Amino acid sequence: EFVSILADCSDDMLELAHLKTPDDGRISKCLQFPIMPVTLVDDQFSHQSPVVRYTASIYATKTDDASIKAMYDAESSGLFKTPLRVDSPLQQGVFEVGMDSLYYTARDGLSFYLYYLEQRLTWDLGLAMASLIATSICIMLHTQSPFLTVIGLLQITLALPVAYFLYYFICGIPYFPLVNVNAIFIIFALGADDIFVVVDKWKSARQRLPHYFTTEEVAAVALPHAASATFVTSITTSVAFLASAMIKVPAVKAFVIFCGLLVASDYILSIILMFPALCLWDRWLFNGSKSACLITTSCKRAKRESTNRIPSIEATQSDDEECNSTSRDTLPISATEGSSKEEVYNGYGEGHQSMNNFEVDHISVIEGKPMHHVLDLHYKFIHHLRWLILALSLGAIVVCGFVTSKFRTPDLPEPPFLPPSNAYEKHKTWSQSLLSNNLLIDRFGRLSFIWGVRPADTGFHLNPDDTSILVHDDAFNPRTVSAQAYLLEVCDRIHDDVLTWKDDFECPMQQFNAWLLEQSQSRSPTMEYSSLCGNATSVPVLPEVFDPCIISFSTLTNNSGIFQDEGVVNILRIQARTNTTYRDPIVEQEKEWHALEAWSDYERINAPDGVNNFFFNTMDFAVYDTMSDLVSSATNSGLIALACASAMILLTSRSASMMLFSAISIAYVLLAASACVIGLGWKLGIFESVLFGVLIGVGCDFVLHFSHTYTMLPGVVRRELRTRYALFEMGPSVLGSAATTMLTAIIMMFTEILFFRKFAIMLAMTIIHSTIGSFIVFLVLCDCFGPAEPTKGYDTIKAKLCGKKE
């Protein structure tokens, strides 16, 4: 009996709130209940489903912020916890949420949820800072120099104010959302990559050049190649970030623009700071300095003596032979005994090493370090299984592309800030299913049909304070008889065909028509009617009296649907209620939007001239419009980033094959990382669109390093040797950058705020698949199809156009 009465009370409240169709045959027993707590049952409780899934108790408390904070502190310390019986799983399930009823204590002030978010934000930011410290340590381990580490960190740090100057003063963007803070972690990862490449290029040049070369002579060889390698990746990454600015969400647009400027600023600062620092560092070591600030290992700069020759990897003599090389004692190919400085410089003229000026049929590889042994084993493995790996790679691209095509927007528009397992997030979710929540929220949105205004947004999208101005429709003319008749009739069609909720429907033309009838039948009509309306009894009125008559009606009745300027009606608005709100599932919002759009298209076709340019507007569709744009914008951004990366590779490498291989590899990175997060249950919401910008911006970096290095050897060099050279030349730098960024991501995975955790996951997925895409997909493509002379086509065209030099 109690359950039946409770169900009657629940049905009565839903019917009263117009959330349920009244049942005239039902006799309610709810009057037996003096008071029905609306938090006692959930919104699904009824006679058909007499089971309470969620319930809550309400207690009277103080509502000032200080009292709420005191209660939160007490709850956090366990003072409100009720001792639980070990054998009572029901009680454990209830009380594990804590004092959840206090979540709504201060509806207009602070709540437990917000206090908890504030505390977690402080802790999570501490973890984020720890990840930056870990990045600094990785830079120190890689460079093995405190001096270079400090300069590198200074380069990365100064990139932030430089980028902000460009962002605010040059681009004129005053909007700086909180999400831009995450750009710090992006630039630490990409900045570390630039540092590793520049330092490794210098050390490689110093090691391969004769020991008598001065710092200036080493700089003339190393720095141009380092600048070229980092320029290719920096400009492509920057453009890839900027391509993501197609996404309409202002926070996402601002974030990717700031990231793009950061990457460009970091590259410029690496030229200004890191290059001179390397020159100073090398000169001090060249002069015999043993300061611990310069280098942390006992091996400073090994003199190249003939007794310490470097073993090299022999190339096979036939294209059909396997690339399993043997070793012999020899000098690096860039410097033989007795070579002059001019010969060595010529050897570096076109690329890092020359195959033309030295009669050498092998590529020197430093095999003394464990890293190079690992890279050598890696190459032998992928070379031996290259065709199988190629097939698996192409299959993975197809499968990941299919999975990525299923990327959809979330069912509910509001993103959670905490993981679903968090007690406060559970309460937030559960409370939305209470009957009280459904009775309090407005189930129907506000909708307007507008004539006389064009749908336009003239404000600056990246400045929330720069709002739009009205753009008038000069073709709007409601004065004609046909226009007046249509505006009167369309009200009935809106009421009958469009709306589910019939109340709160305001049609100015129907109200104007009723006013005319009332005034014409009145014994004492208003002076305005008598003098301005021409004794009209209904709509339509004479065109010449339409404006003064309807304006006088609007003024006398305070009608909010008619707007005039200098005695001429220029805007007319019909107000109604939508059947959904922004809180409803995206699918339901999409269904209603399409229904309204189809109805409006039909009406615009059949409406008379002058009133056929109306549109409908509601803020409740703003979320749906944003969500529906995310998938297409993210896809277009990825394609633009891929096209920009391909174009940059074509310009810098002068090789169409390198462009194709890079595009395939970068496509793998984007598709594979996206497929992985889809497998984790992600959907493309606001948070995820920000993170997709990270994927697009960072995902092409490693591939570009290998692509650029593959083409550095001049002349005709077999594809196996070029592939090995790219691997050994850039492998350590890329692996160091990947390890540094992964460590940053792993530390940030321990954060609890969902955005930071998802940021870490996306960063980790990007680095993992960037490493696979560069070390496996790209290198296998080069090993299978790579050209022996990548720039031959470009050189041939250039020779034909410009004439061959004598």
Side-chain angles (χ1 to χ4, degrees):
E1 182 66 19
F2 171 77
V3 173
S4 177
I5 294 174
L6 202 60
D8 278 343
C9 292
S10 177
D11 289 341
D12 288 349
M13 292 182 181
L14 290 173
E15 291 175 6
L16 186 63
H18 300 280
L19 299 177
K20 186 175 182 180
T21 304
D23 183 2
D24 297 332
R26 182 176 62 86
I27 301 176
S28 176
K29 303 176 184 178
C30 189
L31 295 178
Q32 300 179 31
F33 249 150
I35 297 177
M36 164 63 178
V38 291
T39 60
L40 191 59
V41 298
D42 57 80
D43 56 358
Q44 299 298 318
F45 181 79
S46 63
H47 287 285
Q48 291 74 29
S49 178
V51 177
V52 176
R53 298 178 303 147
Y54 305 107
T55 186
S57 300
I58 298 178
Y59 301 91
T61 66
K62 295 181 179 179
T63 58
D64 59 284
D65 292 344
S67 298
I68 298 298
K69 182 64 167 64
M71 286 188 288
Y72 172 79
D73 294 337
E75 193 276 336
S76 299
S77 61
L79 294 181
F80 291 160
K81 296 286 185 181
T82 301
L84 303 177
R85 300 202 320 268
V86 178
D87 59 346
S88 176
L90 177 61
Q91 280 193 337
Q92 292 176 359
V94 172
F95 282 95
E96 71 178 3
V97 181
M99 201 65 175
D100 55 3
S101 60
L102 291 176
Y103 172 73
Y104 282 116
T105 302
R107 183 173 295 277
D108 297 325
L110 296 175
S111 67
F112 279 20
Y113 185 83
L114 296 180
Y115 274 124
Y116 184 80
L117 274 180
E118 182 181 341
Q119 287 188 352
R120 288 307 310 181
L121 181 62
T122 303
W123 172 257
D124 288 355
L125 286 176
L127 283 176
M129 292 301 106
S131 70
L132 299 184
I133 295 174
T135 301
S136 305
I137 295 174
C138 290
I139 296 174
M140 175 69 180
L141 294 175
H142 191 92
T143 62
Q144 298 181 352
S145 170
F147 172 71
L148 294 180
T149 301
V150 170
I151 298 300
L153 294 176
L154 180 64
Q155 163 198 321
I156 296 173
T157 304
L158 288 180
L160 293 168
V162 172
Y164 183 77
F165 174 84
L166 298 174
Y167 177 88
Y168 186 87
F169 292 101
I170 304 302
C171 297
I173 305 176
Y175 178 51
F176 197 83
L178 182 61
V179 71
N180 281 15
V181 174
N182 290 280
I184 297 175
F185 309 107
I186 299 295
I187 197 57
F188 261 78
L190 297 177
D193 177 64
D194 286 349
I195 293 170
F196 294 163
V197 171
V198 171
V199 171
D200 287 351
K201 288 285 186 182
W202 184 282
K203 290 182 177 180
S204 176
R206 170 53 78 185
Q207 187 176 34
R208 287 172 173 159
L209 290 171
H211 68 274
Y212 51 81
F213 265 45
T214 64
T215 297
E216 291 79 4
E217 292 165 336
V218 174
V221 171
L223 295 187
H225 297 300
S228 175
T230 53
F231 173 79
V232 172
T233 56
S234 296
I235 191 65
T236 306
T237 302
S238 181
V239 172
F241 271 121
L242 295 176
S244 300
M246 290 183 61
I247 298 177
K248 294 180 181 179
V249 181
V252 180
K253 190 186 293 284
F255 170 72
V256 295
I257 291 175
F258 186 62
C259 286
L261 295 174
L262 261 179
V263 174
S265 302
D266 180 74
Y267 172 75
I268 295 173
L269 288 170
S270 70
I271 303 294
I272 296 174
L273 296 178
M274 203 64 195
F275 284 17
L278 279 168
C279 294
L280 292 173
W281 174 77
D282 185 84
R283 176 174 293 177
W284 292 331
L285 292 181
F286 190 85
N287 293 332
S289 175
K290 299 181 179 180
S291 172
C293 293
L294 297 181
I295 194 165
T296 58
T297 61
S298 58
C299 298
K300 298 292 191 284
R301 179 177 55 82
K303 301 275 186 179
R304 292 225 181 128
E305 302 293 340
S306 60
T307 57
N308 292 326
R309 293 175 180 177
I310 301 172
S312 63
I313 296 178
E314 295 268 320
T316 55
Q317 301 300 317
S318 171
D319 289 342
D320 298 329
E321 296 178 7
E322 292 294 316
C323 204
N324 296 326
S325 54
T326 58
S327 299
R328 67 179 181 180
D329 288 340
T330 182
L331 286 174
I333 66 169
S334 53
T336 58
E337 292 289 354
S339 298
S340 65
K341 290 184 178 181
E342 289 75 13
E343 291 175 318
V344 175
Y345 278 133
N346 291 335
Y348 277 87
E350 291 287 331
H352 198 61
Q353 294 161 344
S354 173
M355 290 297 182
N356 300 322
N357 296 323
F358 298 95
E359 297 297 330
V360 180
D361 61 355
H362 64 273
I363 295 179
S364 295
V365 177
I366 302 172
E367 293 187 346
K369 296 182 179 180
M371 175 63 71
H372 294 91
H373 285 294
V374 172
L375 295 177
D376 188 37
L377 292 174
H378 172 70
Y379 175 75
K380 290 177 180 178
F381 173 77
I382 65 172
H383 178 76
H384 183 69
L385 301 175
R386 59 189 182 276
W387 296 109
L388 175 61
I389 296 175
L390 176 64
L392 293 175
S393 299
L394 296 178
I397 293 175
V398 173
V399 172
C400 292
F402 175 77
V403 175
T404 303
S405 67
K406 306 299 181 181
F407 216 171
R408 294 294 182 264
T409 54
D411 296 329
L412 295 176
E414 186 176 359
F417 289 95
L418 296 170
S421 59
N422 179 272
Y424 290 99
E425 195 64 43
K426 282 183 179 179
H427 174 270
K428 181 183 176 184
T429 302
W430 295 349
S431 63
Q432 292 175 353
S433 297
L434 292 174
L435 177 61
S436 58
N437 184 70
N438 280 269
L439 294 176
L440 287 172
I441 63 175
D442 192 349
R443 300 300 303 172
F444 298 93
R446 303 285 179 177
L447 175 67
S448 296
F449 293 89
I450 303 175
W451 284 261
V453 177
R454 294 187 178 276
D457 186 358
T458 62
F460 183 32
H461 293 181
L462 292 178
N463 183 4
D465 296 328
D466 186 11
T467 57
S468 179
I469 61 174
L470 290 179
V471 178
H472 289 284
D473 179 13
D474 296 333
F476 175 57
N477 180 14
R479 300 161 194 84
T480 64
V481 172
S482 59
Q484 294 181 52
Y486 172 80
L487 291 173
L488 182 63
E489 294 168 0
V490 78
C491 293
D492 292 329
R493 289 196 291 275
I494 293 175
H495 185 275
D496 298 336
D497 302 340
V498 177
L499 305 180
T500 298
W501 178 262
K502 308 298 185 181
D503 296 341
D504 298 335
F505 176 66
E506 298 179 5
C507 179
M509 291 302 291
Q510 286 184 340
Q511 294 167 338
F512 178 49
N513 188 61
W515 181 79
L516 289 175
L517 179 61
E518 176 188 352
Q519 291 296 316
S520 65
Q521 296 176 352
S522 174
R523 293 182 178 181
S524 56
T526 62
M527 182 176 60
E528 289 81 0
Y529 170 79
S530 300
S531 60
L532 300 175
C533 296
N535 296 320
T537 59
S538 63
V539 174
V541 301
L542 294 174
E544 57 269 19
V545 302
F546 174 80
D547 285 321
C549 184
I550 198 171
I551 291 173
S552 64
F553 150 75
S554 175
T555 304
L556 293 172
T557 60
N558 295 318
N559 191 284
S560 61
I562 298 170
F563 301 85
Q564 60 91 21
D565 182 32
E566 297 181 353
V568 177
V569 174
N570 55 3
I571 299 175
L572 188 143
R573 179 180 64 183
I574 298 176
Q575 291 182 295
R577 306 296 294 271
T578 58
N579 303 325
T580 60
T581 70
Y582 69 92
R583 300 182 184 90
D584 291 307
I586 298 296
V587 175
E588 295 183 15
Q589 297 183 47
E590 180 179 21
K591 181 179 179 181
E592 181 170 17
W593 185 88
H594 281 294
L596 284 170
E597 189 68 18
W599 182 90
S600 300
D601 289 340
Y602 177 82
E603 288 293 330
R604 280 190 284 263
I605 293 174
N606 294 279
D609 293 340
V611 290
N612 57 352
N613 289 328
F614 74 93
F615 65 95
F616 66 88
N617 177 53
T618 173
M619 289 302 297
D620 286 281
F621 284 147
V623 174
Y624 161 70
D625 180 65
T626 300
M627 292 295 184
S628 62
D629 178 69
L630 290 180
V631 174
S632 60
S633 295
T635 303
N636 293 336
S637 298
L639 293 175
I640 291 177
L642 194 61
C644 291
S646 301
M648 185 54 59
I649 286 294
L650 182 62
L651 291 174
T652 56
S653 68
R654 299 168 297 172
S655 171
S657 55
M658 288 298 100
M659 177 190 71
L660 177 61
F661 297 165
S662 299
I664 294 173
S665 303
I666 294 172
Y668 164 80
V669 176
L670 299 180
L671 295 175
S674 299
C676 285
V677 297
I678 292 174
L680 294 175
W682 289 21
K683 294 190 176 181
L684 191 58
I686 302 297
F687 286 173
E688 291 77 12
S689 63
V690 175
L691 304 180
F692 199 82
V694 174
L695 169 62
I696 293 174
V698 180
C700 57
D701 203 47
F702 293 170
V703 172
L704 295 176
H705 280 312
F706 283 116
S707 179
H708 178 264
T709 308
Y710 183 92
T711 62
M712 288 179 63
L713 295 175
V716 179
V717 182
R718 293 176 56 241
R719 67 171 67 100
E720 293 87 357
L721 299 183
R722 286 186 179 275
T723 304
R724 292 171 68 85
Y725 175 72
L727 176 62
F728 279 91
E729 184 72 12
M730 294 305 304
S733 301
V734 171
L735 286 177
S737 177
T740 302
T741 309
M742 276 299 297
L743 180 60
T744 299
I746 290 172
I747 294 175
M748 290 186 66
M749 285 182 189
F750 290 95
T751 58
E752 189 172 8
I753 293 180
L754 210 54
F755 178 77
F756 289 144
R757 184 179 295 183
K758 285 191 170 186
F759 179 86
I761 293 173
M762 178 60 87
L763 194 59
M765 290 297 176
T766 302
I767 294 303
I768 290 172
H769 290 291
S770 292
T771 305
I772 296 173
S774 56
F775 277 85
I776 295 180
V777 179
F778 180 78
L779 291 181
V780 165
L781 286 169
C782 291
D783 206 49
C784 292
F785 308 109
E789 194 175 1
T791 61
K792 182 178 180 180
Y794 170 84
D795 294 337
T796 302
I797 295 174
K798 181 180 178 181
K800 290 181 177 180
L801 293 178
C802 303
K804 213 168 185 178
K805 293 184 178 180
E806 295 294 328

